[in-house]
Amino acid sequence: MTVLLHFIDVFGTFVFALSGATVGVRHRFDLFGVFVLAFVTAVGGGCVRDLCLGATPPAGLINVEYLVCVIIAIMLITFFQKIVFSFEKPALFFDALGLGFFAAFGANKAYVHTHEIFFSILMGCISAVGGGCIRDILTGRSPVILTKEIYASAALIGAGIQILGSSGVIPPQYSIWLAIGSCTAIRMVSLRYNITLKTITNKYLD
Amino acid sequence: MTVLLHFIDVFGTFVFALSGATVGVRHRFDLFGVFVLAFVTAVGGGCVRDLCLGATPPAGLINVEYLVCVIIAIMLITFFQKIVFSFEKPALFFDALGLGFFAAFGANKAYVHTHEIFFSILMGCISAVGGGCIRDILTGRSPVILTKEIYASAALIGAGIQILGSSGVIPPQYSIWLAIGSCTAIRMVSLRYNITLKTITNKYLD
Amino acid sequence: MTVLLHFIDVFGTFVFALSGATVGVRHRFDLFGVFVLAFVTAVGGGCVRDLCLGATPPAGLINVEYLVCVIIAIMLITFFQKIVFSFEKPALFFDALGLGFFAAFGANKAYVHTHEIFFSILMGCISAVGGGCIRDILTGRSPVILTKEIYASAALIGAGIQILGSSGVIPPQYSIWLAIGSCTAIRMVSLRYNITLKTITNKYLD
């Protein structure tokens, strides 16, 4: 099981890095810019979480595996662009899987540090979506997760389920899988049926 | 007096959250996006301050009262939009009051941690205006406080007066009220008479 | 030698502050906004580094010398704009010198804290270019270092050379000068001959 979790961690990081690198290439960033976007998307959320926990240096910045993921992602996007884009559909699935893993892992790490329920759920969500937010800010636009699609909400639910396990309400050995499964399922179903969160009606503004 | 300070804290947070939620609705963010903007505007400045102080986890992220403020703000903007906007004038006053409180409170917290005068004034200012800056960056524009209106400058003065109290130059039991009063007064007078900070003449640029 | 290093530190900070202040004036920010941009450009990178190291409060925020640099930069841009811009060419050289110093200094500080090679090189680079990135984000655009010119790459190489010294591969008393020299040389040569980093070809996107 630990091996499978480690695989999800690394593969999720890789898919996140690939998404960052793609955005970088699309914005005509140079090689360094593409590296920064890939790296930030992959590890940015975990870094913000670790800074908030006071767990310095942030784990994502000293993990050489993550760096290798980023480098492979950049090489793929440079030399095998066509192949990469033919895997767009499966990439969405692995992205959702990574989302669930990072949410659950981040929430658990925060809970172990602080035993604060609300804070830990928040940290789980930030671990999962923070990198994408920084990526969007670096490309000069509003984070896409704030405006459309069920993405951060799926991470919130995954983080919440994990905290049920971390705090002993459900057995911890199941909660990580339940969290990853729920988050991935919610994300994939919302994509499949094009479900979005309600926008608050705006009658008196502008 | 402590009760009154606590009231200003909570009510200031609530008004900040309302301002963030309003911006979110105006930008057509979804429910999650509106929550993020409201929450970030309310607690973002204090979080940056606490990260700079090494006081982790940031106090704003584990304070359930603040979370309740944010949720009430979002419910109001969802269901009672018209009423909310009819209170625009009083909201400006409570915003100014919150500004003064956060500046004084943040400056004092930083001074207690570090006994650095310049750093503490800076931290007070960041506590008060940092949340609004992050809100603006998340909506893809330059922070409004950098370009117009006396807002951050009022916070700087409030923070400076508080440090006079924290460092014993004036009695600490008065300084918090003097700081809040000065900051609120400067802000309200500048709004009333449309006073702005000088823009540096730009003769040789562009 | 220490005196010379200190001079490079202060003068580099001053040139960085001047670059931030110039951007602020160009964007018609008010006096407070220009101060924020100048200050953030000068000390922002070091602050991010110190937060990642858990070295709070960040050194740049309690260093009064840096504050003086920022204030002088703002006074120069206010009262002697024409003179400032007549020094544009030398400013590029001192900017490159500062870049090298901050990269080497930051990398060494991170290495002393953590003994992590990759992390320290990253921190050196962030020390050198982070302030400029935050400046660009505050003005609502993509960081310029991500899209063109050899700038961050020069900092990365400077940081890498410094780590060779910090970890004892080359004598530490030489590495700082070798790092600053290489970084400055790469930057100046790339400017002189208009060398840029490769952009990844973008055949299947958009």
Side-chain angles (χ1 to χ4, degrees):
Chain A
M1 284 321 218
T2 318
V3 172
L4 183 53
L5 277 182
H6 186 74
F7 171 80
I8 296 179
D9 179 14
V10 170
F11 213 74
T13 303
F14 169 72
V15 173
F16 275 37
L18 209 54
S19 116
T22 306
V23 171
V25 171
R26 191 164 272 154
H27 278 75
R28 312 226 182 298
F29 282 12
D30 67 16
L31 193 57
F32 177 79
V34 172
F35 173 79
V36 168
L37 273 202
F39 192 69
V40 151
T41 310
V43 310
C47 286
V48 174
R49 177 201 63 213
D50 285 353
L51 290 180
C52 287
L53 293 176
T56 53
L61 300 182
I62 54 174
N63 186 333
V64 174
E65 261 180 348
Y66 288 171
L67 181 64
V68 172
C69 286
V70 169
I71 291 173
I72 294 177
I74 293 175
M75 283 171 55
L76 282 180
I77 207 110
T78 307
F79 299 116
F80 304 99
Q81 225 171 70
K82 195 172 182 181
I83 299 174
V84 168
F85 294 120
S86 65
F87 282 100
E88 205 172 310
K89 279 273 167 63
L92 281 175
F93 173 72
F94 284 110
D95 184 84
L97 209 58
L99 188 76
F101 173 78
F102 297 135
F105 180 85
N108 185 56
K109 181 167 183 181
Y111 191 81
V112 169
H113 266 74
T114 65
H115 286 267
E116 294 277 351
I117 289 176
F118 161 64
F119 172 73
S120 302
I121 295 176
L122 188 72
M123 285 299 113
C125 186
I126 287 181
S127 305
V129 308
C133 282
I134 306 179
R135 173 200 65 204
D136 290 347
I137 291 172
L138 286 177
T139 53
R141 55 178 179 155
S142 239
V144 68
I145 59 153
L146 300 182
T147 51
K148 54 177 189 183
E149 295 188 5
I150 305 265
Y151 192 82
S153 330
L156 268 182
I157 291 169
I161 292 173
Q162 173 59 42
I163 291 304
L164 288 180
S166 305
S167 59
V169 178
I170 57 176
Q173 67 271 35
Y174 300 141
S175 65
I176 178 95
W177 297 107
L178 199 58
I180 295 177
S182 313
C183 177
T184 309
I186 293 171
R187 171 71 182 145
M188 293 315 286
V189 166
S190 80
L191 272 180
R192 176 72 186 76
Y193 296 101
N194 209 14
I195 303 168
T196 59
L197 264 190
K198 207 177 155 312
T199 304
I200 295 171
T201 326
N202 175 348
K203 270 180 293 212
Y204 305 98
L205 294 168
D206 304 321
Chain B
M1 283 321 219
T2 318
V3 173
L4 184 53
L5 276 182
H6 186 74
F7 170 81
I8 296 179
D9 179 14
V10 170
F11 212 76
T13 302
F14 168 73
V15 173
F16 275 37
L18 209 54
S19 115
T22 307
V23 171
V25 171
R26 191 163 273 152
H27 278 75
R28 313 228 181 295
F29 282 12
D30 67 16
L31 193 57
F32 177 79
V34 171
F35 173 79
V36 168
L37 273 201
F39 192 70
V40 150
T41 310
V43 311
C47 286
V48 174
R49 176 202 63 213
D50 286 353
L51 290 181
C52 287
L53 293 176
T56 53
L61 299 183
I62 54 173
N63 187 334
V64 174
E65 261 180 349
Y66 288 171
L67 181 63
V68 171
C69 286
V70 169
I71 291 173
I72 294 177
I74 292 175
M75 284 171 54
L76 282 181
I77 207 110
T78 308
F79 299 115
F80 304 100
Q81 225 171 71
K82 194 173 181 180
I83 299 174
V84 168
F85 294 121
S86 67
F87 282 100
E88 204 171 310
K89 279 272 166 66
L92 281 174
F93 173 72
F94 285 110
D95 184 85
L97 211 57
L99 187 76
F101 173 79
F102 296 135
F105 180 86
N108 186 57
K109 182 168 184 181
Y111 191 81
V112 169
H113 265 75
T114 64
H115 285 267
E116 293 277 350
I117 289 176
F118 161 64
F119 172 72
S120 302
I121 295 176
L122 188 71
M123 285 298 112
C125 186
I126 287 180
S127 305
V129 307
C133 282
I134 306 179
R135 175 200 64 204
D136 291 346
I137 291 172
L138 286 177
T139 54
R141 54 179 182 155
S142 238
V144 68
I145 60 155
L146 300 181
T147 52
K148 55 177 187 180
E149 294 188 6
I150 305 263
Y151 192 81
S153 329
L156 269 182
I157 291 168
I161 292 173
Q162 173 58 44
I163 292 304
L164 288 181
S166 305
S167 59
V169 177
I170 57 177
Q173 67 271 37
Y174 300 141
S175 65
I176 177 94
W177 297 107
L178 199 58
I180 295 177
S182 312
C183 177
T184 309
I186 293 171
R187 171 70 181 146
M188 293 315 286
V189 166
S190 80
L191 272 179
R192 174 72 188 76
Y193 296 101
N194 209 13
I195 303 167
T196 59
L197 265 191
K198 207 179 157 311
T199 304
I200 296 169
T201 326
N202 176 348
K203 269 178 294 207
Y204 305 98
L205 294 167
D206 307 318
Chain C
M1 283 323 217
T2 318
V3 173
L4 183 52
L5 277 182
H6 185 75
F7 171 80
I8 296 178
D9 179 14
V10 170
F11 213 74
T13 303
F14 169 73
V15 173
F16 275 38
L18 209 53
S19 114
T22 306
V23 171
V25 171
R26 191 164 273 153
H27 279 75
R28 312 230 181 295
F29 282 12
D30 67 16
L31 193 57
F32 177 80
V34 171
F35 172 79
V36 169
L37 273 201
F39 192 69
V40 150
T41 310
V43 310
C47 286
V48 174
R49 176 202 63 214
D50 285 352
L51 290 181
C52 287
L53 292 176
T56 54
L61 300 183
I62 54 174
N63 186 334
V64 174
E65 261 180 350
Y66 287 171
L67 181 64
V68 171
C69 285
V70 169
I71 291 173
I72 295 177
I74 292 175
M75 284 171 55
L76 282 181
I77 208 110
T78 307
F79 299 114
F80 305 99
Q81 226 172 70
K82 194 172 181 180
I83 299 174
V84 168
F85 294 121
S86 65
F87 282 99
E88 206 171 309
K89 279 273 167 62
L92 282 174
F93 173 72
F94 285 109
D95 184 84
L97 209 58
L99 187 77
F101 173 78
F102 296 135
F105 180 84
N108 186 56
K109 183 169 183 179
Y111 192 81
V112 169
H113 266 74
T114 64
H115 286 268
E116 294 277 351
I117 289 176
F118 160 64
F119 172 72
S120 302
I121 295 175
L122 187 71
M123 286 298 113
C125 186
I126 286 181
S127 306
V129 307
C133 282
I134 306 179
R135 175 199 64 205
D136 290 347
I137 291 172
L138 286 178
T139 54
R141 55 178 181 156
S142 239
V144 68
I145 59 154
L146 301 181
T147 50
K148 54 178 191 182
E149 295 187 5
I150 304 262
Y151 192 81
S153 330
L156 269 182
I157 292 168
I161 292 174
Q162 172 58 42
I163 293 303
L164 288 180
S166 305
S167 58
V169 177
I170 57 177
Q173 67 270 35
Y174 299 142
S175 64
I176 178 95
W177 297 107
L178 199 56
I180 295 177
S182 313
C183 176
T184 308
I186 293 171
R187 171 70 182 147
M188 293 314 285
V189 166
S190 80
L191 272 180
R192 175 72 186 77
Y193 296 101
N194 209 14
I195 304 167
T196 59
L197 265 191
K198 207 178 154 311
T199 304
I200 296 169
T201 325
N202 175 349
K203 269 177 292 208
Y204 306 97
L205 294 168
D206 308 319

